[in-house]
Amino acid sequence: MSNPSVSPKIKPWSRRQLLKWGLTGTGVAGAALSWRGLTNKSQVSARIPPITKQALSVTGNGFNPMAILRDFDYGTIKHENGRKIREFQLIAESSTFQLNSAVSFVSWNVNNRVPGPTLRATAGDRLRIIFRNEGGHSHSLHFHGNHRSEVDGVKPVRQGKEVIYEFDAEPYGVHLYHCHIAPVTRHVSKGLYGMFIIDPPEGRPPADEMVLVMGGYDINNDESNELYAFNGLPNYYRDHPIQIYQNQLVRLYVLNMIEFDPAVTFHIHANMFRVYRTGRTLKPNEETDVITMGTAERHILEFSYPYPGEYMFHPHQDVVAEHGCMGNFQVIPS
């Protein structure tokens, strides 16, 4: 069962660490095995294919969607006055990303990646988020979930300033954080958002766990999206399919952060998934192969593939899928 808080000295591998492991002595397969063994406890019993060197190759943007896919940030554990505190460091930045061979985009983001780090804790943990704004505009971080008004993240933090948000992780489920400075639509559409997972105390069954965050890019500032993406880069998982094992339980944490489109769907081919709405249940709410999500809506989707092969996943709005929100699962025979 998953309970990351029982291993306070374990920290997730960064993209640079993964690249280092993949490009030096231990090899890519060794890197993936080491990474798998040192992150979320629920993955210890799950079979996860080694990450290929090609999939972890540098994209030129400072982040890689294949690394983001299974990267969970458990923070740094500290002990103060007899209480354990899980501390995170988040920095608002402004970065130019190459979305494809023809389009570059000035992004406002967290820790130089879109989406920002996937923060993870267990219900009841004390969280301390140290937020520094180096982005050139006033920003903030608003966390979904329960907390006091003083740490609600709606007050602007000026460039070069720092603020601390401290609260207890509750309730368990899949949440998010994002900038809440007006115009919020612009700040979010530029990339200032991330996922925030609070695990139930009893954990969940072992699974190959992944994060898929849907985002849109308004390239010409007309309040309409011209490109879309899973985990930051359009069509990345179309060109670099996500490898999973046949009959292995997959747990997708899916979040819709597409602004300007009222709602999108998420669909997988040749299979059904069990839906845990907002991650707020331990038993599925329904089983389907397509789900509709408004902006900031998020769910846990669980499934396994009985047959090897390559299978698409995408929103069922064709224009969204065809403009970058397209991916494939490559199911490897077990």
Side-chain angles (χ1 to χ4, degrees), residues 144-334:
H144 286 218
N146 300 345
H147 47 250
R148 306 182 320 278
S149 63
E150 302 95 287
V151 292
D152 199 34
V154 296
K155 296 180 180 179
V157 180
R158 298 178 64 183
Q159 180 186 13
K161 299 297 182 180
E162 188 175 275
V163 67
I164 296 175
Y165 305 114
E166 189 165 321
F167 51 90
D168 293 336
E170 56 183 19
Y172 80 80
V174 185
H175 306 296
L176 65 145
Y177 61 90
H178 59 87
C179 184
H180 213 292
I181 302 303
V184 177
T185 297
R186 178 167 173 79
H187 286 244
V188 171
S189 67
K190 296 283 277 184
L192 270 164
Y193 54 81
M195 186 179 285
F196 172 38
I197 299 171
I198 302 177
D199 290 310
E202 59 269 57
R204 299 182 189 273
D208 183 357
E209 298 193 324
M210 306 176 196
V211 169
L212 288 178
V213 181
M214 295 185 281
Y217 289 105
D218 176 13
I219 304 302
N220 56 9
N221 297 317
D222 64 350
E223 298 190 352
S224 177
N225 295 310
E226 287 73 46
L227 290 174
Y228 299 86
F230 287 109
N231 291 349
L233 294 184
N235 290 320
Y236 182 87
Y237 300 119
R238 180 199 67 182
D239 301 333
H240 304 276
I242 299 170
Q243 292 188 335
I244 57 177
Y245 280 119
Q246 177 187 12
N247 296 320
Q248 169 65 61
L249 177 65
V250 173
R251 180 173 297 122
L252 286 184
Y253 297 87
V254 180
L255 166 64
N256 173 26
M257 289 304 293
I258 298 175
E259 291 284 354
F260 308 123
D261 293 80
V264 297
T265 57
F266 180 83
H267 168 60
I268 64 174
H269 279 214
N271 208 343
M272 307 288 282
F273 50 72
R274 294 174 295 281
V275 180
Y276 300 76
R277 291 188 171 272
T278 319
R280 290 286 295 123
T281 66
L282 299 179
K283 296 181 179 180
N285 304 101
E286 62 183 293
E287 188 173 42
T288 181
D289 67 351
V290 62
I291 189 167
T292 301
M293 304 171 68
T295 303
E297 195 167 354
R298 63 277 184 194
H299 305 298
I300 294 175
L301 311 180
E302 290 186 350
F303 58 89
S304 61
Y305 271 94
Y307 307 113
E310 193 161 292
Y311 302 93
M312 285 183 176
F313 62 87
H314 55 81
H316 227 293
Q317 289 81 4
D318 291 339
V319 67
V320 177
E322 292 168 0
H323 286 78
C325 225
M326 175 65 76
N328 290 287
F329 291 116
Q330 184 180 3
V331 181
I332 302 171
S334 57

Side-chain angles (χ1 to χ4, degrees), residues 102-177:
V103 178
S104 61
F105 182 79
V106 177
S107 167
W108 303 344
N109 55 73
V110 181
N111 288 18
N112 197 39
R113 49 173 273 182
V114 177
T118 300
L119 309 186
R120 194 159 186 175
T122 300
D125 284 353
R126 185 68 172 179
L127 307 183
R128 176 180 295 155
I129 292 91
I130 301 174
F131 173 61
R132 183 167 182 82
N133 181 13
E134 296 293 349
H137 300 265
S138 290
H139 294 304
S140 71
L141 287 185
H142 163 68
F143 286 81
H144 286 218
N146 300 345
H147 47 250
R148 306 182 320 278
S149 63
E150 302 95 287
V151 292
D152 199 34
V154 296
K155 296 180 180 179
V157 180
R158 298 178 64 183
Q159 180 186 13
K161 299 297 182 180
E162 188 175 275
V163 67
I164 296 175
Y165 305 114
E166 189 165 321
F167 51 90
D168 293 336
E170 56 183 19
Y172 80 80
V174 185
H175 306 296
L176 65 145
Y177 61 90

